[in-house]
Amino acid sequence: MAAGEGLTSFTKPGIGRGLAGNGAWDLAAFQEAVRRGVLPQRATLMPGSPNLH
């Protein structure tokens, strides 16, 4: 639906451990969607600052 509206990319802030509802499973879900070919948009996934070393 988003692709039909012309959406070609999006940003998902806050990926990482310790962030409400945005754990490593979110990253895995995005990777799986790309692998299966069901995510045609380009995603910029941004780790939360507590996850940066």
Side-chain angles (χ1 to χ4, degrees):
M1 187 168 157
E5 295 293 327
L7 182 71
T8 60
S9 65
F10 64 92
T11 301
K12 174 68 172 116
I15 295 287
R17 190 182 69 157
L19 299 166
N22 293 309
W25 54 90
D26 289 314
L27 177 57
F30 281 115
Q31 290 175 318
E32 179 63 13
V34 170
R35 187 189 71 73
R36 291 179 36 211
V38 296
L39 183 65
Q41 291 80 19
R42 181 177 57 252
T44 302
L45 306 178
M46 301 166 52
S49 59
N51 298 285
L52 298 175
H53 301 245

Coordinates of all heavy atoms in Angstrom, one line a residue:
M1 N 0.8 -1.2 0.0 CA 0.0 0.0 0.0 C 0.9 1.3 0.0 O 0.6 2.2 -0.7 CB -0.9 0.0 1.2 CG -1.9 1.0 1.3 SD -3.1 0.6 2.6 CE -3.7 2.1 3.0
A2 N 1.9 1.3 0.9 CA 2.8 2.4 0.9 C 3.5 2.6 -0.4 O 3.7 3.8 -0.9 CB 3.8 2.3 2.1
A3 N 4.0 1.5 -1.0 CA 4.7 1.6 -2.3 C 3.7 2.2 -3.4 O 4.1 3.0 -4.2 CB 5.2 0.3 -2.7
G4 N 2.5 1.8 -3.3 CA 1.5 2.4 -4.2 C 1.3 3.8 -4.1 O 0.8 4.5 -5.1
E5 N 1.5 4.4 -2.9 CA 1.4 5.8 -2.7 C 2.7 6.6 -3.0 O 2.8 7.8 -2.8 CB 1.0 6.1 -1.2 CG -0.4 5.6 -0.9 CD -1.5 6.4 -1.6 OE1 -1.3 7.6 -1.9 OE2 -2.5 5.7 -2.0
G6 N 3.8 5.8 -3.4 CA 5.0 6.4 -3.7 C 6.1 6.5 -2.6 O 7.1 7.0 -2.8
L7 N 5.8 5.8 -1.5 CA 6.7 5.8 -0.4 C 7.9 4.9 -0.8 O 7.7 3.7 -1.0 CB 6.1 5.3 0.9 CG 7.0 5.3 2.1 CD1 7.2 6.7 2.6 CD2 6.3 4.5 3.2
T8 N 9.1 5.4 -0.8 CA 10.3 4.6 -1.2 C 11.2 4.4 -0.1 O 12.1 3.5 -0.2 CB 11.0 5.3 -2.4 OG1 11.5 6.6 -1.9 CG2 10.2 5.4 -3.6
S9 N 11.1 5.1 1.1 CA 12.0 4.9 2.2 C 11.4 5.4 3.5 O 10.4 6.2 3.4 CB 13.3 5.6 2.0 OG 13.2 7.0 1.9
F10 N 11.9 5.0 4.6 CA 11.4 5.4 5.9 C 12.6 5.3 6.9 O 13.5 4.6 6.7 CB 10.2 4.6 6.3 CG 10.4 3.2 6.6 CD1 10.8 2.7 7.8 CD2 10.3 2.3 5.5 CE1 11.0 1.3 8.0 CE2 10.5 0.9 5.7 CZ 10.8 0.5 7.0
T11 N 12.4 5.9 8.0 CA 13.4 5.9 9.1 C 12.7 5.3 10.4 O 11.6 5.7 10.7 CB 13.9 7.3 9.4 OG1 14.6 7.8 8.3 CG2 15.0 7.2 10.6
K12 N 13.3 4.4 11.0 CA 12.8 3.8 12.2 C 13.8 4.0 13.4 O 14.9 3.4 13.5 CB 12.6 2.3 12.0 CG 12.3 1.5 13.3 CD 10.9 1.9 13.7 CE 10.4 1.0 14.9 NZ 10.2 1.7 16.1
P13 N 13.6 5.1 14.2 CA 14.5 5.4 15.3 C 14.3 4.5 16.5 O 13.2 3.9 16.6 CB 14.1 6.8 15.6 CG 12.7 6.9 15.3 CD 12.5 6.0 14.1
G14 N 15.3 4.3 17.3 CA 15.2 3.6 18.5 C 15.3 2.1 18.5 O 14.7 1.5 19.4
I15 N 16.0 1.5 17.6 CA 16.1 0.1 17.6 C 17.2 -0.3 18.6 O 18.2 0.3 18.7 CB 16.6 -0.4 16.2 CG1 15.5 -0.1 15.1 CG2 17.0 -1.8 16.2 CD1 14.3 -1.1 15.2
G16 N 16.9 -1.3 19.4 CA 17.9 -1.7 20.4 C 17.4 -2.1 21.7 O 16.2 -1.9 22.0
R17 N 18.2 -2.7 22.5 CA 17.9 -3.2 23.8 C 17.5 -2.0 24.8 O 18.2 -1.0 24.7 CB 19.0 -4.0 24.4 CG 18.7 -4.7 25.6 CD 20.0 -5.4 26.1 NE 20.9 -4.4 26.5 CZ 21.9 -4.5 27.4 NH1 22.1 -5.7 27.8 NH2 22.7 -3.6 27.7
G18 N 16.5 -2.3 25.6 CA 16.2 -1.3 26.6 C 15.3 -0.2 26.2 O 15.0 0.7 27.0
L19 N 14.8 -0.2 25.0 CA 13.9 0.8 24.5 C 12.5 0.2 24.4 O 12.3 -0.9 23.9 CB 14.4 1.3 23.2 CG 15.8 2.0 23.2 CD1 16.3 2.2 21.8 CD2 15.7 3.3 23.9
A20 N 11.5 0.9 24.9 CA 10.1 0.4 24.9 C 9.7 -0.1 23.6 O 9.5 0.7 22.7 CB 9.2 1.5 25.5
G21 N 9.5 -1.4 23.4 CA 8.9 -1.9 22.2 C 9.8 -1.9 21.0 O 9.4 -2.2 19.9
N22 N 11.1 -1.7 21.2 CA 12.0 -1.6 20.1 C 13.3 -2.4 20.3 O 14.4 -1.9 20.3 CB 12.4 -0.2 19.8 CG 11.3 0.7 19.3 OD1 10.6 0.3 18.4 ND2 11.0 1.8 19.9
G23 N 13.1 -3.7 20.5 CA 14.2 -4.6 20.8 C 14.9 -5.2 19.6 O 14.5 -4.8 18.4
A24 N 15.8 -6.1 19.8 CA 16.5 -6.7 18.7 C 15.5 -7.5 17.8 O 15.8 -7.6 16.6 CB 17.5 -7.7 19.3
W25 N 14.4 -7.9 18.3 CA 13.4 -8.6 17.5 C 12.9 -7.7 16.4 O 12.5 -8.2 15.3 CB 12.3 -9.2 18.3 CG 11.6 -8.1 19.2 CD1 10.6 -7.4 18.9 CD2 12.0 -7.7 20.5 NE1 10.3 -6.5 19.9 CE2 11.1 -6.7 20.9 CE3 13.0 -8.1 21.4 CZ2 11.2 -6.1 22.2 CZ3 13.1 -7.5 22.6 CH2 12.2 -6.5 23.0
D26 N 12.8 -6.4 16.6 CA 12.4 -5.4 15.5 C 13.4 -5.5 14.4 O 13.0 -5.5 13.2 CB 12.3 -4.0 16.1 CG 11.1 -3.8 17.0 OD1 10.0 -4.3 16.7 OD2 11.3 -3.2 18.1
L27 N 14.7 -5.4 14.7 CA 15.7 -5.5 13.6 C 15.6 -6.8 12.9 O 15.6 -6.9 11.6 CB 17.1 -5.4 14.2 CG 18.2 -5.5 13.2 CD1 18.1 -4.5 12.1 CD2 19.6 -5.4 14.0
A28 N 15.4 -7.9 13.6 CA 15.2 -9.2 13.0 C 14.0 -9.3 12.1 O 14.0 -9.9 11.0 CB 15.1 -10.3 14.0
A29 N 12.9 -8.6 12.5 CA 11.7 -8.6 11.7 C 11.9 -7.8 10.4 O 11.4 -8.3 9.3 CB 10.5 -8.0 12.5
F30 N 12.6 -6.7 10.5 CA 12.9 -6.0 9.2 C 13.8 -6.8 8.3 O 13.6 -6.9 7.1 CB 13.6 -4.6 9.6 CG 12.7 -3.5 10.0 CD1 12.8 -3.0 11.3 CD2 11.8 -3.0 9.2 CE1 12.0 -2.0 11.7 CE2 10.9 -2.0 9.6 CZ 11.0 -1.5 10.9
Q31 N 14.8 -7.4 8.8 CA 15.7 -8.3 8.0 C 14.9 -9.4 7.4 O 15.2 -9.7 6.2 CB 16.8 -8.8 8.9 CG 17.8 -7.8 9.3 CD 18.9 -8.3 10.2 OE1 18.6 -9.0 11.2 NE2 20.1 -7.9 10.0
E32 N 14.0 -10.0 8.1 CA 13.2 -11.1 7.6 C 12.3 -10.6 6.5 O 12.1 -11.3 5.4 CB 12.4 -11.8 8.7 CG 11.5 -12.9 8.2 CD 12.3 -14.1 7.6 OE1 13.5 -14.2 7.7 OE2 11.6 -15.0 7.0
A33 N 11.7 -9.5 6.6 CA 10.8 -8.9 5.6 C 11.6 -8.6 4.3 O 11.1 -8.9 3.2 CB 10.2 -7.6 6.1
V34 N 12.8 -8.1 4.5 CA 13.7 -7.9 3.3 C 14.0 -9.2 2.6 O 13.9 -9.4 1.4 CB 15.0 -7.1 3.7 CG1 15.9 -7.1 2.5 CG2 14.6 -5.7 4.1
R35 N 14.4 -10.2 3.4 CA 14.8 -11.5 2.9 C 13.6 -12.1 2.1 O 13.8 -12.7 1.0 CB 15.2 -12.4 4.0 CG 15.7 -13.8 3.6 CD 15.9 -14.8 4.7 NE 14.7 -15.3 5.2 CZ 13.9 -16.2 4.6 NH1 14.2 -16.6 3.5 NH2 12.8 -16.6 5.2
R36 N 12.4 -12.0 2.6 CA 11.2 -12.5 2.0 C 10.7 -11.7 0.8 O 9.8 -12.1 0.1 CB 10.1 -12.7 3.0 CG 10.4 -13.8 4.0 CD 9.3 -14.0 5.1 NE 8.0 -13.8 4.6 CZ 7.0 -13.3 5.3 NH1 7.1 -13.0 6.5 NH2 5.8 -13.2 4.8
G37 N 11.2 -10.5 0.7 CA 10.8 -9.6 -0.5 C 9.5 -8.9 -0.2 O 8.9 -8.5 -1.2
V38 N 9.1 -8.7 1.0 CA 7.8 -8.1 1.3 C 8.1 -6.6 1.8 O 7.1 -6.0 2.2 CB 7.0 -8.9 2.3 CG1 6.6 -10.2 1.7 CG2 7.7 -9.1 3.6
L39 N 9.3 -6.1 1.8 CA 9.6 -4.8 2.2 C 10.3 -4.1 1.1 O 11.5 -4.1 1.0 CB 10.4 -4.7 3.5 CG 10.7 -3.4 4.1 CD1 9.5 -2.7 4.6 CD2 11.7 -3.5 5.2
P40 N 9.5 -3.5 0.1 CA 10.2 -2.9 -1.0 C 10.8 -1.5 -0.7 O 11.6 -1.0 -1.5 CB 9.0 -2.7 -2.0 CG 7.8 -2.6 -1.2 CD 8.1 -3.5 0.0
Q41 N 10.5 -0.9 0.4 CA 11.0 0.4 0.8 C 12.4 0.2 1.4 O 12.8 -0.8 1.9 CB 10.2 1.1 1.8 CG 8.8 1.6 1.3 CD 7.8 0.5 1.2 OE1 7.9 -0.5 1.9 NE2 6.8 0.6 0.4
R42 N 13.2 1.3 1.2 CA 14.5 1.3 1.9 C 14.3 1.8 3.3 O 13.7 2.8 3.6 CB 15.4 2.3 1.1 CG 16.8 2.5 1.6 CD 17.6 3.4 0.7 NE 17.0 4.7 0.6 CZ 16.4 5.2 -0.5 NH1 16.4 4.5 -1.6 NH2 15.9 6.4 -0.5
A43 N 14.9 1.1 4.3 CA 14.7 1.4 5.7 C 16.0 1.9 6.3 O 17.1 1.3 6.0 CB 14.2 0.2 6.4
T44 N 16.0 3.0 7.0 CA 17.1 3.5 7.8 C 16.8 3.1 9.2 O 15.9 3.7 9.8 CB 17.4 5.0 7.6 OG1 17.5 5.2 6.2 CG2 18.6 5.4 8.4
L45 N 17.5 2.2 9.8 CA 17.3 1.8 11.2 C 18.3 2.4 12.1 O 19.5 2.3 11.8 CB 17.3 0.3 11.3 CG 16.4 -0.5 10.3 CD1 16.5 -2.0 10.5 CD2 14.9 -0.1 10.5
M46 N 17.9 3.1 13.1 CA 18.8 3.9 13.9 C 18.8 3.3 15.3 O 17.8 3.2 16.0 CB 18.2 5.4 14.0 CG 18.2 6.0 12.6 SD 17.2 7.6 12.6 CE 17.9 8.5 14.0
P47 N 20.0 2.9 15.8 CA 20.1 2.4 17.1 C 19.9 3.5 18.2 O 20.2 4.6 18.0 CB 21.5 1.8 17.2 CG 22.2 2.6 16.2 CD 21.3 3.0 15.1
G48 N 19.2 3.1 19.3 CA 19.1 4.1 20.4 C 20.4 4.4 21.0 O 21.3 3.5 21.0
S49 N 20.6 5.5 21.5 CA 21.9 5.9 22.1 C 22.4 5.0 23.2 O 23.6 4.8 23.4 CB 21.9 7.4 22.6 OG 20.9 7.5 23.6
P50 N 21.5 4.3 24.0 CA 22.0 3.4 25.1 C 22.7 2.2 24.4 O 23.4 1.5 25.1 CB 20.8 3.0 25.8 CG 19.8 4.0 25.5 CD 20.1 4.5 24.2
N51 N 22.5 2.0 23.2 CA 23.1 0.8 22.5 C 24.4 1.0 21.8 O 24.9 0.1 21.2 CB 22.0 0.2 21.5 CG 20.8 -0.2 22.3 OD1 20.8 -1.3 22.9 ND2 19.7 0.6 22.2
L52 N 24.8 2.3 21.8 CA 26.1 2.6 21.1 C 27.2 2.4 22.0 O 27.2 2.8 23.2 CB 26.0 4.0 20.5 CG 24.9 4.3 19.5 CD1 24.9 5.8 19.2 CD2 25.1 3.4 18.3
H53 N 28.3 1.9 21.6 CA 29.5 1.7 22.4 C 30.6 2.6 22.0 O 30.9 2.7 20.8 CB 30.0 0.2 22.3 CG 28.9 -0.8 22.7 ND1 29.1 -1.6 23.7 CD2 27.7 -1.1 22.1 CE1 28.0 -2.4 23.8 NE2 27.2 -2.1 22.9

